[in-house]
Amino acid sequence: MTFFYLLTGFVILQRLLEVAYARSNEKAMRRQGAIEVGARHYKWIVLLHVLFFLSLVVEVWSSEGGLGVGWQVFLVIFAIAQGLRVWALSSLGRFWNTKILVLPGAEKVKKGPYRWLPHPNYLVVALEIGALPLVFGAWRTALIFSIANALLLLLVRIPAEEKALQQLKS
């Protein structure tokens, strides 16, 4: 269980630091005239992530917190996702945010993983939501939240972000 607490605590701390970084970037961008797009769905993204961690904890606790079958593979996938997360975040720099903010006149970022993938951070989140629970054998959490995340991203978030990126071109 110690490994579970350390890894889960690391991820939760990481998310809290990212929220602080996003808020700082948001304030700076709004001072420059950025506008938010897709604000109505943001609460659902936050809720999904909160419920993900709650589900993970409950499922791991109820199964007595052992490591899952093939946990090493899932830990490697999780570690790769962390590297991609840092690369995506650093590539966007001051533009990185958990919200969709459009800064009129700004150019679309096309460096780092954004040269090849339009939404690398969403790939990171998908890998994490799938791999982290499987490190601890929490397959129900991995399955339910992978599906919920995919639906939210594919049906709501990515279309809203694509529309916002089109506004940059206008």
Side-chain angles (χ1 to χ4, degrees):
M1 278 300 262
T2 302
F3 182 53
F4 171 72
Y5 293 129
L6 288 173
L7 188 56
T8 305
F10 165 77
V11 176
I12 290 171
L13 178 62
Q14 183 184 47
R15 294 302 169 275
L16 293 172
L17 291 172
E18 287 172 358
V19 167
Y21 180 58
R23 285 188 179 156
S24 173
N25 284 349
E26 177 183 4
K27 287 178 185 176
M29 288 180 67
R30 285 190 187 270
R31 282 193 298 271
Q32 297 173 30
I35 56 167
E36 184 175 356
V37 177
R40 290 187 344 198
H41 75 262
Y42 184 71
K43 64 181 172 258
W44 299 111
I45 290 175
V46 172
L47 182 63
L48 181 128
H49 287 269
V50 169
L51 292 176
F52 167 75
F53 285 109
L54 289 174
S55 177
L56 176 61
V57 168
V58 167
E59 187 171 359
V60 170
W61 279 352
S62 68
S63 68
E64 300 179 15
L67 293 170
V69 175
W71 69 270
Q72 300 95 332
V73 171
F74 299 114
L75 187 59
V76 168
I77 292 168
F78 178 80
I80 290 168
Q82 296 310 295
L84 183 55
R85 174 183 291 286
V86 170
W87 191 23
L89 199 140
S90 63
S91 295
L92 283 181
R94 66 184 179 94
F95 294 110
W96 186 85
N97 212 293
T98 56
K99 296 179 179 178
I100 303 172
L101 298 170
V102 177
L103 183 60
E107 292 290 320
K108 181 178 176 183
V109 174
K110 296 178 184 175
K111 63 181 183 176
Y114 295 91
R115 285 181 286 195
W116 302 287
L117 296 169
H119 304 282
N121 201 54
Y122 299 146
L123 173 61
V124 168
V125 171
L127 289 172
E128 288 174 340
I129 285 176
L132 180 61
L134 293 175
V135 170
F136 303 101
W139 64 270
R140 290 170 191 88
T141 298
L143 178 65
I144 291 166
F145 285 90
S146 289
I147 292 169
N149 182 59
L151 291 173
L152 187 56
L153 288 179
L154 294 174
L155 298 177
V156 180
R157 180 66 175 209
I158 290 175
E161 194 165 306
E162 286 297 321
K163 184 177 178 182
L165 288 171
Q166 288 299 318
Q167 290 177 357
L168 278 177
K169 293 180 182 177
S170 304

